[in-house]
Amino acid sequence: MHFTASAFVVNKERTKMLVVYHNIFDGWIYPGGHADGDSDLLSVAIREVLEETGVKANILDNSIFAIQALPIKGHMKNGKYVSAHVHLDTIYLLDADENSVLVFNENENKAVKWIPFECVEDEDVVDFIKPIHKKLVKKMDLF
């Protein structure tokens, strides 16, 4: 099991989310990555958003917004085989300016964009995002 941290990054109007097209998952997913021993998972999520999208996001809440366990298939990464494993993913709630310049890390992603909440079913969003997405949007209304 690997600890990972992701960010549910919303625009200021709270109508869209920031996603990256992940090379391994072959679909749109929240920005995030492995903690690699860093116990400050919030800082991992913030760093991953910046590295994967170029966006400087703001913290809406310091606490973990959601947790999910994600089965990861075996895959090639940087020329080496990574066996199947599980990500214990902590998700944090952040926001950012939708007009920020977007960039992406070609080693991990093919693209980055904002998508409206209601378009998740219309996009090539990674399957494991879909069940938690509605819960995240509903929980966001508490903030």
Side-chain angles (χ1 to χ4, degrees):
M1 188 174 282
H2 300 173
F3 281 100
T4 59
S6 297
F8 185 57
V9 183
V10 299
N11 62 350
K12 299 291 184 184
E13 296 76 26
R14 298 185 180 181
T15 59
K16 296 180 182 177
M17 65 182 184
L18 185 63
V19 292
V20 294
Y21 197 95
H22 198 278
N23 292 340
I24 294 170
F25 298 131
D26 195 28
W28 296 103
I29 188 171
Y30 309 133
H34 288 87
D36 295 328
D38 190 340
S39 62
D40 184 352
L41 297 175
L42 176 56
S43 71
V44 172
I46 294 167
R47 180 182 69 236
E48 291 291 334
V49 170
L50 184 60
E51 287 177 3
E52 293 184 3
T53 70
V55 171
K56 185 171 180 170
N58 305 301
I59 301 167
L60 290 179
D61 189 340
N62 288 327
S63 61
I64 294 171
F65 195 56
I67 298 175
Q68 62 182 344
L70 307 170
I72 306 302
K73 296 177 184 176
H75 58 274
M76 296 297 292
K77 184 170 184 177
N78 299 326
K80 294 184 180 180
Y81 181 73
V82 178
S83 62
H85 57 281
V86 174
H87 283 177
L88 183 56
D89 190 40
T90 56
I91 302 172
Y92 292 90
L93 179 61
L94 309 177
D95 76 356
D97 181 356
E98 185 180 349
N99 296 314
S100 299
V101 174
L102 301 177
V103 297
F104 63 95
N105 180 341
E106 292 179 7
N107 294 330
E108 296 183 21
N109 305 308
K110 294 179 183 172
V112 58
K113 68 178 180 177
W114 292 93
I115 62 172
F117 293 155
E118 64 274 6
C119 291
V120 167
E121 295 298 327
D122 301 332
E123 298 283 344
D124 291 328
V125 173
V126 175
D127 286 340
F128 59 75
I129 292 254
K130 293 177 182 180
I132 197 167
H133 172 72
K134 289 179 184 176
K135 293 177 184 179
L136 294 176
V137 171
K138 185 174 182 178
K139 186 175 180 181
M140 187 186 59
D141 290 339
L142 301 174
F143 291 87

